[in-house]
């Protein structure tokens, strides 16, 4: 079943509910119900934490490698370069998120004004 | 600290049974002006643009932002919709990516509940568990009387949800009138914001390896499994990093 499987107006809402709302909220509900009954330092939860982090990194990469729309006008090397320089600045300046965001944006936007084809 | 030691049996009037002190609701709401809140809302500015590009309608986005309320899940859903992923690969990816909500909720509940808090209160409030409000309330809880903690958390959480939804909607609607380079800049906020905040919130050293592997394997898997590359790359990267964690860091792996 896909996002565009049915033409009905309500289908996208059902799709979003099944693909995103229930899969996210079930963990919050489970958390409330099992609180105090589950060992939070269990190895299972450590493995799960690693998989969750890696998955979110894969999502980030999806937007950098396969962007749609306006960002696709920037070449791949520029997108990757902007992320890399932004990230290194973030690490170099005391892991301040705002530094990473500003540097990455500056590299991307100045690169795009020179190289991007609209 | 008796309330922490035995939270379900204490009934001293100081803790008020299940009577919350709602004067803390407004104090929580005012935290919308804090720096972490502003960064989160700017992440949703980028999300509004990404959502538009992925092809979801504005009403679908207005539903999705508060109903899911976890930016990694939001991003997975719109990336999946944009890439034409099926429910069978998308739902497991979101399930795996949001497991962290469970330990986060488990850590918060003992701090904010009252001796006779109803379970349904906590189930409802747990919807607001997401990284920004969670970190903030865990830090501030010791300075807030117990009866005020749940209202404080709800006040902050509700303001975050409303501001983020509003920001995403305004950008979605205005996107067409912005020059393309401005839109490109807005889309780009979310990935870099997430890469850096995830790096900061990781608890184990090898978790940084998990982030690097996921970033590399996700796109690489697109050549083999174009419709399930995020799921496949994420699982492979997580398991590999866990192996490295067990081999090299398990004695002193905590950061």
């Amino acid at each position: 079943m896909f996002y565009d499987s049915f033409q009905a107006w309500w289908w996208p809402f059902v799709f979003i509910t099944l693909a995103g709302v229930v899969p996210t909220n079930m963990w919050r509900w489970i958390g409330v119900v099992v609180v105090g009954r589950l060992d939070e330092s269990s190895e299972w939860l450590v493995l799960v934490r690693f998989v969750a982090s890696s998955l979110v990194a894969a999502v980030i990469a999806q937007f950098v490698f396969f962007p749609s729309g306006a960002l696709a006008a920037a070449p791949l090397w520029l997108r990757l370069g902007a992320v890399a320089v932004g990230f290194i600045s973030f690490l170099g300046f005391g892991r301040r998120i705002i530094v990473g965001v500003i540097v990455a944006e500056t590299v991307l936007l100045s690169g795009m004004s020179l190289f991007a084809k609209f | 600290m008796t309330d922490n030691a035995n939270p379900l049996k204490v009934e001293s009037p100081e803790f008020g049974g299940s009577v919350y002190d709602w004067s803390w609701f407004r104090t929580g709401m005012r935290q919308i002006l804090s720096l972490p809140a502003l960064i989160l809302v700017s992440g949703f500015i980028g999300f509004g643009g990404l959502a538009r590009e992925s092809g979801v309608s504005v009403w679908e986005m207005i539903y999705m932002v508060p109903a899911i309320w976890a930016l990694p899940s939001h991003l997975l859903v719109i990336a999946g919709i944009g890439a034409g992923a099926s429910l069978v690969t998308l739902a497991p990816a979101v399930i795996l990516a949001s497991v962290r909500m469970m330990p986060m909720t488990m850590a918060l509940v003992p701090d904010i509940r009252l001796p006779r808090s109803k379970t349904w209160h906590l189930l409802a409030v747990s919807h607001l568990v997401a990284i920004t409000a969670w970190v903030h309330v865990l830090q501030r809880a010791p300075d807030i009387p117990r009866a005020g903690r749940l209202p404080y958390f709800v006040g902050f959480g509700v303001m975050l949800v409303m501001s983020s939804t509003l920001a995403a909607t305004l950008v979605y609607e205005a996107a067409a009138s912005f020059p393309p380079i401005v839109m490109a800049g807005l889309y780009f906020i979310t990935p870099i914001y997430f890469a850096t905040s995830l790096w900061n919130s990781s608890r184990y050293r090898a978790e940084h390896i998990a982030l690097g592997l996921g970033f590399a394997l996700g796109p690489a898997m697109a050549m083999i499994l174009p419709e399930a590359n995020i799921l496949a790359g994420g699982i492979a990267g997580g398991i590999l990093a866990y192996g490295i964690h067990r081999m090299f860091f398990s004695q002193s792996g905590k950061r």
Side-chain angles (χ1 to χ4, degrees):
Chain A
M1 290 206 282
F2 298 86
Y3 174 75
D4 51 7
S5 285
F6 303 100
Q7 291 306 307
W9 68 268
W10 46 264
W11 170 248
F13 293 92
V14 174
F15 183 88
I16 290 166
T17 305
L18 296 178
V21 177
V22 173
T24 305
N25 282 307
M26 56 181 261
W27 293 116
R28 296 180 172 125
W29 302 327
I30 293 172
V32 169
V33 173
V34 305
V35 66
R37 282 186 248 161
L38 197 96
D39 179 11
E40 279 180 59
S41 60
S42 92
E43 278 296 305
W44 262 110
L45 282 181
V46 178
L47 172 61
V48 150
R49 195 185 167 92
F50 277 76
V51 171
S53 295
S54 174
L55 258 167
V56 180
V59 186
I60 296 167
Q62 189 80 1
F63 289 109
V64 176
F65 280 83
F66 312 111
S68 50
L71 196 51
L76 177 63
W77 63 263
L78 178 58
R79 284 177 259 135
L80 276 177
V83 168
V85 176
F87 198 79
I88 290 165
S89 320
F90 155 79
L91 291 178
F93 289 88
R95 294 183 165 195
R96 298 182 74 90
I97 292 170
I98 191 76
V99 173
V101 172
I102 289 173
V103 171
E105 288 284 349
T106 307
V107 173
L108 178 85
L109 295 180
S110 43
M112 278 187 85
S113 52
L114 293 174
F115 300 108
K117 300 176 194 72
F118 289 109
Chain B
M1 295 310 283
T2 45
D3 57 327
N4 280 338
N6 205 346
L8 294 171
K9 290 186 179 157
V10 177
E11 290 185 28
S12 83
E14 187 192 342
F15 301 124
S18 63
V19 182
Y20 302 110
D21 179 358
W22 287 98
S23 66
W24 284 90
F25 183 81
R26 289 184 61 181
T27 321
M29 285 175 79
R30 281 200 289 272
Q31 301 305 312
I32 193 67
L33 297 174
S34 63
L35 184 65
L38 295 178
I39 293 178
L40 178 73
V41 172
S42 61
F44 276 96
I45 290 175
F47 179 77
L50 287 171
R52 185 190 174 96
E53 291 292 319
S54 75
V56 302
S57 76
V58 69
W59 290 110
E60 288 156 31
M61 191 201 71
I62 290 172
Y63 167 62
M64 174 190 316
V65 170
I68 296 178
W69 195 236
L71 201 42
S73 300
H74 289 131
L75 294 176
L76 268 165
V77 168
I78 61 164
I81 289 174
S86 91
L87 200 53
V88 180
T89 58
L90 192 48
V94 177
I95 289 173
L96 286 169
S98 46
V99 185
R100 64 179 66 226
M101 295 296 159
M102 180 181 68
M104 283 166 68
T105 307
M106 288 167 64
L108 184 71
V109 164
D111 269 13
I112 64 168
R113 75 174 159 199
L114 291 175
R116 279 184 286 175
S117 283
K118 303 274 192 302
T119 301
W120 72 265
H121 293 167
L122 297 170
L123 285 173
V125 165
S126 77
H127 186 74
L128 298 168
V129 170
I131 190 75
T132 306
W134 180 78
V135 168
H136 178 83
V137 173
L138 278 188
Q139 284 170 352
R140 295 290 299 276
D143 308 326
I144 301 171
R146 179 158 282 271
R149 290 177 190 169
L150 186 142
Y152 182 86
F153 176 65
V154 174
F156 187 36
V158 165
M159 278 303 278
L160 284 175
V161 171
M162 293 196 316
S163 316
S164 302
T165 309
L166 183 67
T169 307
L170 291 177
V171 171
Y172 187 107
E173 289 297 341
S177 58
F178 287 166
I181 193 162
V182 173
M183 287 318 299
L186 289 176
Y187 301 154
F188 209 57
I189 294 175
T190 312
I192 190 73
Y193 164 67
F194 242 85
T196 50
S197 61
L198 211 58
W199 190 270
N200 277 354
S201 71
S202 58
R203 195 180 294 169
Y204 302 94
R205 263 187 280 170
E207 219 174 322
H208 292 156
I209 299 173
L211 294 175
L213 286 172
F215 191 87
L217 290 177
M221 287 283 180
M223 287 178 254
I224 314 166
L225 293 164
E227 271 157 28
N229 63 312
I230 296 176
L231 182 62
I235 293 177
I239 292 175
L240 270 171
Y242 180 73
I244 293 167
H245 166 74
R246 286 303 297 265
M247 279 164 68
F248 300 108
F249 299 113
S250 58
Q251 295 311 309
S252 57
K254 287 233 172 188
R255 279 186 44 216

